[in-house]
Amino acid sequence: MSTESNKLKLKIPSFTDEIEKTIRELGENFNLLDLISDDYVSATPTSGDYLRNKRLYNSASVYDGYVGWVNVRTGKAAPLWQRLKSYTVGDYIIPRVDNGHVYICVQSGTSGYTEPVFPVSTDAQFNDTRLASTWAATTQYKLNDIVLPTVDNGRFYICIQAGESGNTEPPWQTVDGATTYDKNASWATYRITRWKEAGSAALFYPFGKIG
């Protein structure tokens, strides 16, 4: 009858064990050893779920660098939010200043020019159109201003040529990247991205200073 090792609780076969049982237990041992084996990365991860205290070792360590990174908060790893980037449903991001939360894209589109104020309420949803205003006639707009049509069409428009808007609202383009001409101002078209709060974000810190 097999026994267990003290630390890892690996199965130690006995000479009297059946061959099939022994092979199965050895397979379980290998899986456990694989699970706890060291992982090597060249940078902190931007995907995957990680438990608190998970350590990742630096595969390209150098003098004055670090041995690796340790996760101090159970959660999901994700890349930092980026401006005017195309996102698809299911993409994850985290704020550029950590707030403990991760966010999932629930409507494909392009992120805004200014980083959102990320809500921390569970399952909160919001459009990525911070600082956008509703289009107004005979208004002086500057480069990178963002407007929304007076009738929602699921798009936002970023000013790519500064100038005064017209007396009447222009017929807005709806194809990504297309230009809407508005008297002296011009606008590039983007579909609005929508985000949803999706739980806790992993947080890795370097450990083991070298040198």
Side-chain angles (χ1 to χ4, degrees), residues 44-52 54 56 71-80 90-95 98-105 195-204:
T44 52
T46 56
S47 64
D49 297 297
Y50 294 90
L51 294 175
R52 184 172 178 266
K54 174 64 177 177
L56 300 175
N71 184 34
V72 298
R73 182 172 59 216
T74 296
K76 183 178 291 294
L80 297 174
D91 286 346
Y92 285 92
I93 55 98
I94 55 175
D98 176 58
N99 70 353
H101 295 258
V102 66
Y103 300 83
I104 187 171
C105 179
W195 300 104
K196 175 184 171 183
E197 190 279 337
S200 179
L203 181 61
F204 283 89

Side-chain angles (χ1 to χ4, degrees), residues 62-195:
V62 295
Y63 180 80
D64 207 33
Y66 291 90
V67 171
W69 299 269
V70 60
N71 184 34
V72 298
R73 182 172 59 216
T74 296
K76 183 178 291 294
L80 297 174
W81 176 92
Q82 295 183 53
R83 66 169 51 161
L84 298 180
K85 177 177 171 59
S86 178
Y87 290 100
T88 59
V89 171
D91 286 346
Y92 285 92
I93 55 98
I94 55 175
R96 302 192 73 82
V97 176
D98 176 58
N99 70 353
H101 295 258
V102 66
Y103 300 83
I104 187 171
C105 179
V106 293
Q107 177 177 287
S108 298
T110 300
S111 55
Y113 188 79
T114 303
E115 185 172 8
V117 176
F118 289 95
V120 295
S121 302
T122 302
D123 294 333
Q125 296 191 25
F126 58 99
N127 288 342
D128 196 341
T129 54
R130 185 181 177 191
L131 301 185
S133 60
T134 301
W135 179 90
T138 59
T139 299
Q140 191 71 34
Y141 288 103
K142 62 182 183 297
L143 199 65
N144 297 323
D145 279 346
I146 291 178
V147 297
L148 305 173
T150 57
V151 177
D152 178 36
N153 66 356
R155 273 77 179 166
F156 71 89
Y157 297 84
I158 184 166
C159 184
I160 56 175
Q161 179 176 298
E164 185 182 41
S165 59
N167 294 323
T168 58
E169 188 170 6
W172 297 104
Q173 298 286 341
T174 56
V175 176
D176 275 3
T179 300
T180 296
Y181 297 98
D182 180 20
K183 191 180 176 181
N184 297 327
S186 296
W187 307 94
T189 309
Y190 294 102
R191 190 168 190 263
I192 294 172
T193 296
R194 188 167 179 81
W195 300 104

Side-chain angles (χ1 to χ4, degrees), residues 26 55 163 171:
L26 288 175
R55 292 193 177 197

